[in-house]
Amino acid sequence: MKEFDLIARYFSRPAPDGFLGVGDDCALLPLTPGLQLAVSTDLLVEGVHFLPDTDPRALGHKALAVNLSDLAAMGARPLACVLSLSLPRVNADWLQAFSCGFYALADRTGCPLVGGDTTRSLTGIVINVTVLGEVDPARALRRASAQIGDDIWVTGTLGAAHIALSLLQHRLPADKALLEATRPALDTPDPPLQFAQTLAGVAHAALDISDGLVQDLGHILRASKCGAELHYDALPLARGLSDLAPGVQRDAVLRGGDVYQLCFTAPVGLRARILELARGAGTHVSRIGRIQAETGLRIKDADGADIVVPQGGFDHFA
Ligand code: ADP
Ligand code: MG
């Protein structure tokens, strides 16, 4: 199959009215006056970000989901996306499944695929997605906006993707039921886009958890020049994790990456409002701690004793 046949067959679904999509030198997008463009890009490399035998439909979903997660973290609304693919060979079944997974999420989230690039790879598969979104700059959820006294919240649950990856890489003893319970979080993350847009102008600071709660919350704390206390017992443990050894569970919940849920801070007076917004969007939220003036992160168990965790989370060059 030639390059242009491949694009025509798998990546040329029509763009919505008012957009110029795949087929010209650039895509053209209608913009809402008064809003700013939110742009984010993520690279997925075979062997680094996904295992070589990953289900291609799930991979298509995930390639877009990890980017939509960044839009969610800013409180932005998706506008469109572009997809660049570098492939060692043309595998029709792989392309069919990958593009179906990608388009299914693009359709569901109103984020049309409007362009990209396709090349041959001399190594493994490389996937790059760039998302474009819109947000009111006065309402965007920045990392530097946490205020002393804010509640700290997270959406969804923590730890499942980390446990699924540990099982797949044989770093934990085989456990079929646990893998079944945790694998969807790793393969098909579902960032809370709708809820995130309602948080814009309501929450103070936010980011998406990609490299682990402790490391990612650390970005908010440094950017906002403050510290925090977390209550371990308030952290939303993913299904199936409660029977794990305490050390394994803590590592998954506090340091596990690939979460693609939000961590955000908001004034104490907005608790009821946030619960109402979450209910309206069908998103699960948990209040997990408090922003404090003293820098650094303190994690407390149910008795108020300190839980010590090694610093850091995932780092490509560590
Ligand atoms: P150029 O030579 O300008 O890079 P291409 O010939 O690579 O353009 O691409 C032709 C059209 O197909 C362009 O509109 C481009 O955006 C689109 N395209 C190429 N690869 C992809 C892809 N993987 N997904 C979506 N659109 C693609
Ligand atoms: Mg090209």
Side-chain angles (χ1 to χ4, degrees):
M1 195 183 318
K2 296 225 177 65
E3 177 189 335
F4 297 109
D5 297 334
L6 185 162
I7 296 166
R9 186 168 308 176
Y10 300 108
F11 299 108
S12 295
R13 296 196 197 172
D17 285 347
F19 288 65
L20 181 64
V22 170
D24 217 308
D25 295 305
C26 288
L28 298 177
L29 314 178
L31 303 175
T32 308
L35 300 189
Q36 286 190 345
L37 196 58
V39 182
S40 183
T41 194
D42 264 302
L43 196 56
L44 276 82
V45 177
E46 182 178 349
V48 179
H49 299 93
F50 60 93
L51 304 169
D53 59 354
T54 300
D55 167 31
R57 192 184 163 96
L59 197 56
H61 172 102
K62 187 164 180 174
L64 180 56
V66 302
N67 280 277
L68 291 171
S69 180
D70 286 315
L71 289 183
M74 294 302 282
R77 183 183 72 85
L79 185 63
C81 59
V82 294
L83 164 67
S84 292
L85 274 178
S86 195
L87 304 169
R89 67 197 72 84
V90 175
N91 174 338
D93 291 338
W94 189 93
L95 280 159
Q96 179 64 31
F98 177 89
S99 64
C100 280
F102 192 100
Y103 274 116
L105 184 60
D107 289 347
R108 177 156 71 76
T109 55
C111 188
L113 176 63
V114 296
D117 200 20
T118 307
T119 73
R120 193 158 90 89
S121 165
L122 296 179
T123 57
I125 298 169
V126 180
I127 306 162
N128 173 234
V129 176
T130 299
V131 283
L132 306 157
E134 286 188 327
V135 70
D136 176 346
R139 297 163 68 89
L141 303 170
R142 307 273 304 266
R143 294 181 177 188
S145 310
Q147 302 283 318
I148 292 158
D150 275 359
D151 288 320
I152 303 171
W153 299 77
V154 290
T155 63
T157 63
L158 298 167
H162 177 88
I163 293 298
L165 187 61
S166 300
L167 288 166
L168 290 170
Q169 295 182 329
H170 310 293
R171 283 183 281 116
L172 283 176
D175 183 334
K176 203 158 161 263
L178 186 59
L179 183 59
E180 229 159 74
T182 54
R183 194 160 185 172
L186 178 68
D187 284 349
T188 50
D190 193 14
L193 265 176
Q194 214 123 34
F195 174 62
Q197 285 166 62
T198 68
L199 278 186
V202 174
H204 281 158
L207 50 52
D208 66 321
I209 305 170
S210 53
D211 298 328
L213 174 65
V214 166
Q215 174 158 314
D216 287 325
L217 176 57
H219 296 314
I220 287 183
L221 301 183
R222 272 185 300 279
S224 300
K225 299 187 171 60
C226 55
E229 183 172 278
L230 286 187
H231 306 290
Y232 187 82
D233 280 21
L235 298 179
L237 202 62
R239 202 164 57 86
L241 270 58
S242 47
D243 295 338
L244 291 171
V248 175
Q249 187 197 84
R250 281 181 187 176
D251 212 43
V253 169
L254 294 172
R255 286 156 45 85
D258 255 349
V259 178
Y260 305 111
Q261 292 290 332
L262 299 184
C263 175
F264 63 95
T265 82
V268 172
L270 293 182
R271 283 179 189 173
R273 174 105 185 95
I274 282 163
L275 291 173
E276 179 189 299
L277 292 172
R279 210 175 311 120
T283 296
H284 183 267
V285 290
S286 309
R287 191 156 50 76
I288 63 168
R290 192 67 90 83
I291 296 291
Q292 298 172 329
E294 185 190 342
T295 58
L297 179 61
R298 293 156 289 281
I299 306 171
K300 303 286 185 187
D301 70 13
D303 302 323
D306 282 305
I307 293 178
V308 180
V309 288
Q311 284 306 298
F314 187 74
D315 179 338
H316 277 278
F317 297 104

